[in-house]
Amino acid sequence: MKKTLSRRARVATGGAVLAAVAAGTFGTVAANASAPESAQDAAVSAAPAGKRDTTTSTHLTIDAATEAAQAALKAAKKEGQRITVAVVDRNGNTILTMRGDGAGPQSYESAEKKAYTAVSWNAPTSELEGRLENAPNLKDIPGTLFLGGGVPVTAGKAPIAGIGVAGAPSGALDEKFAQAGAAALN
């Protein structure tokens, strides 16, 4: 004859089993975490890189990126233009994007792509537009936009950031405002 447990007994038994499994899992994890590494693993994880194996790069601070973006927005506002400005680091990662009051929804992504393009080629995007005549496939590179409005920021001659502006009625105006942002960094 099969004996059935009451609901209360089943819940208590199930809870006890779960607690035992959890304790066993935690004990295994804790034991593995405290287990000594093999000599080979320790040597690999502690190997220092030589000076010739590394590089050092310069990056804008968030304060500098904010200052540049605000200068671009101010220059655009002075001329009655509604823009978005983006600042990316040397690796093309967005530091910040500021969408000005009334800027179009397309301007957000366009500004980031222009900034990315400018830092990638260390050249204003208006200059890069001309390169499309000789190399039309450049426009197919993901994340790029070959329209005026992006400028690189350099330290020495090396690009360290890109500023992209979008939303004005022309790439020339967008680039003028991006230049105003870059000029605020000097």
Side-chain angles (χ1 to χ4, degrees):
M1 168 163 101
K2 183 176 177 185
K3 185 174 178 182
T4 59
L5 298 174
S6 69
R7 178 176 167 90
R8 184 178 218 177
R10 286 192 313 258
V11 169
T13 304
V17 169
L18 285 174
V21 169
T25 300
F26 177 75
T28 302
V29 171
N32 287 339
S34 64
E37 295 179 333
S38 70
Q40 183 179 12
D41 289 343
V44 170
S45 65
K51 285 187 178 185
R52 66 185 181 138
D53 297 328
T54 63
T55 62
T56 302
S57 61
T58 303
H59 295 273
L60 284 183
T61 64
I62 186 68
D63 291 339
T66 302
E67 183 179 338
Q70 288 174 334
L73 286 168
K74 184 177 178 182
K77 187 175 183 178
K78 194 183 265 187
E79 295 192 28
Q81 298 300 318
R82 299 173 180 165
I83 64 157
T84 297
V85 59
V87 182
V88 301
D89 68 12
R90 173 60 188 110
N91 300 320
N93 299 311
T94 302
I95 299 171
L96 67 83
T97 303
M98 291 183 169
R99 184 173 172 263
D101 295 335
Q106 79 290 353
S107 64
Y108 193 92
E109 185 175 349
S110 297
E112 287 183 337
K113 287 183 175 187
K114 289 177 183 184
Y116 177 84
T117 305
V119 76
S120 295
W121 277 272
N122 194 23
T125 53
S126 61
E127 179 185 310
L128 296 170
E129 279 183 278
R131 294 184 191 179
L132 289 177
E133 292 175 19
N134 296 328
N137 290 345
L138 283 178
K139 70 181 180 334
D140 297 332
I141 297 172
T144 60
L145 186 58
F146 292 87
L147 298 174
V151 298
V153 176
T154 59
K157 293 182 181 181
I160 62 166
I163 300 174
V165 171
S170 72
L173 278 175
D174 284 341
E175 195 159 310
K176 177 181 177 180
F177 305 139
Q179 289 285 3
L185 298 173
N186 294 328

